[in-house]
Amino acid sequence: MEVLTSKRFEFSAAHRYWNAEWSPERNVEVFGKCTNAYGHGHNYVLEVTTAGEVDLATGMVINVTELKRTVGRVLEGFDHKHLNEDMAYFRDRQPTTENIVQVLWSLIAPELPSGVRLHRLRLYETADIFADFYGGMTASFGRSYQFSAAHRLDSSQLSPDENVALYGKCNNEKGHGHDYRFEVTVDGPVDPATGMVINLVELDAAVQPLLDELDHTHLDRQHAFFQERPSTAEHVVVYLWQRLAAVLGRRLRWIKLWETPNNIFEYGVREP
Ligand code: NI
């Protein structure tokens, strides 16, 4: 049986986005503040997920000490560096999260012991922006967002007593509320001109109307979708999907919703 194991690593680096074939105006339009000539920096977090059979003698897929050594050697080349100016990999491509994660894949995958396969690399540029790579022709880019809303769990198909029995406190007539957080993952080919699957500005623009609509509202009282069905997190994640798919089309891959930090719901075309 194949088991997935993940370990997180950190490195800090500077970078800058600039396409020399474009005018300065076009660069600023696409890359915004990331064009600053001197660079800026991030505390990157790399999540390495490996897959393999559990070794009968050790009970492990991969020896963690060995993984730390392997990934550590690779990250030494990145940590406390200026990615554009210190690293040859980024002379001919933008040091975007999508491109960095692909370079890391090319350096880490061949170094794993036989029988262990690199399943996924997820690179966080900030706590809420990340890129995923699975070794294929496409990469994923994701960001998390949040909105605060009230709701009440109540089904028109159940009697008042049945609603109380099923939903308990969540059936409180006037409602209660949550800080909902959701992660939107989009995938596709990485554009060689921008180094991106989707521009963050475009992703934010796709999500903003939804945030404007839902943030600081009462789901059941103010939104038709939840007047017709209980405002369970299952229905919320499907609603987010439908609204975003209408804008992002087939690029939308996965949505992960936290109703509270402990209650998590996911929906998408295929599991990341
Ligand atoms: Ni940056």
Side-chain angles (χ1 to χ4, degrees):
M1 72 194 157
E2 200 177 56
V3 174
L4 300 180
T5 72
S6 296
K7 181 155 180 58
R8 285 159 78 99
F9 300 86
E10 293 174 23
F11 64 95
S12 302
H15 71 164
R16 178 205 188 196
Y17 297 166
W18 187 263
N19 185 329
E21 289 170 14
W22 293 346
S23 68
E25 293 74 22
R26 175 91 180 117
N27 271 287
V28 170
E29 189 189 321
V30 175
F31 296 133
K33 283 201 280 192
C34 300
T35 54
N36 174 33
Y38 306 103
H40 65 282
H42 300 284
N43 297 325
Y44 289 94
V45 173
L46 177 68
E47 198 175 279
V48 178
T49 302
T50 53
E53 299 287 322
V54 177
D55 183 282
L56 289 177
T58 64
M60 297 173 177
V61 169
I62 183 167
N63 183 329
V64 177
T65 310
E66 193 180 340
L67 182 66
K68 270 164 88 172
R69 205 160 37 226
T70 302
V71 176
R73 259 199 310 268
V74 169
L75 293 184
E76 245 171 60
F78 289 70
D79 190 33
H80 287 73
K81 297 287 164 60
H82 190 304
L83 301 180
N84 308 61
E85 297 179 20
D86 293 326
M87 302 192 72
Y89 300 107
F90 303 106
R91 297 261 156 75
D92 60 352
R93 72 192 106 184
Q94 305 298 333
T96 55
T97 323
E98 294 94 318
N99 275 340
I100 299 169
V101 79
Q102 289 186 80
V103 169
L104 287 168
W105 181 285
S106 73
L107 296 172
I108 294 170
E111 298 300 319
L112 294 178
S114 66
V116 180
R117 153 178 95 68
L118 192 51
H119 172 71
R120 182 182 82 170
L121 286 184
R122 170 169 287 197
L123 180 65
Y124 288 92
E125 183 183 272
T126 63
D128 64 353
I129 294 175
F130 61 87
D132 285 334
F133 190 57
Y134 294 81
M137 301 300 288
T138 62
S140 301
F141 180 80
R143 177 168 206 174
S144 60
Y145 301 88
Q146 56 183 45
F147 64 91
S148 303
H151 81 138
R152 176 202 187 193
L153 292 183
D154 187 65
S155 171
S156 60
Q157 298 182 38
L158 301 174
S159 72
D161 286 347
E162 286 171 329
N163 271 302
V164 171
L166 177 63
Y167 296 126
K169 282 197 287 192
C170 298
N171 186 242
N172 178 42
E173 193 184 342
K174 310 296 183 197
H176 63 284
H178 303 287
D179 292 310
Y180 291 89
R181 187 164 80 83
F182 63 100
E183 200 176 84
V184 179
T185 305
V186 166
D187 83 357
V190 176
D191 181 340
T194 62
M196 296 171 177
V197 166
I198 185 170
N199 194 315
L200 185 56
V201 176
E202 188 189 348
L203 182 58
D204 285 349
V207 177
Q208 194 58 48
L210 198 47
L211 301 179
D212 292 343
E213 176 193 315
L214 298 176
D215 190 34
H216 286 71
T217 65
H218 192 302
L219 298 182
D220 308 66
R221 292 179 179 177
Q222 293 182 261
H223 305 287
F225 189 88
F226 301 108
Q227 280 160 8
E228 291 157 10
R229 48 182 79 70
S231 56
T232 56
E234 288 90 332
H235 281 153
V236 174
V237 76
V238 168
Y239 182 65
L240 296 174
W241 174 271
Q242 288 180 1
R243 289 292 312 278
L244 291 174
V247 187
L248 296 165
R250 295 168 59 90
R251 291 183 295 174
L252 184 59
R253 177 175 183 157
W254 202 254
I255 295 184
K256 184 170 182 177
L257 171 73
W258 288 259
E259 186 184 52
T260 71
N262 302 323
N263 296 336
I264 303 164
F265 302 82
E266 300 184 61
Y267 186 68
V269 282
R270 59 193 185 285
E271 196 168 355

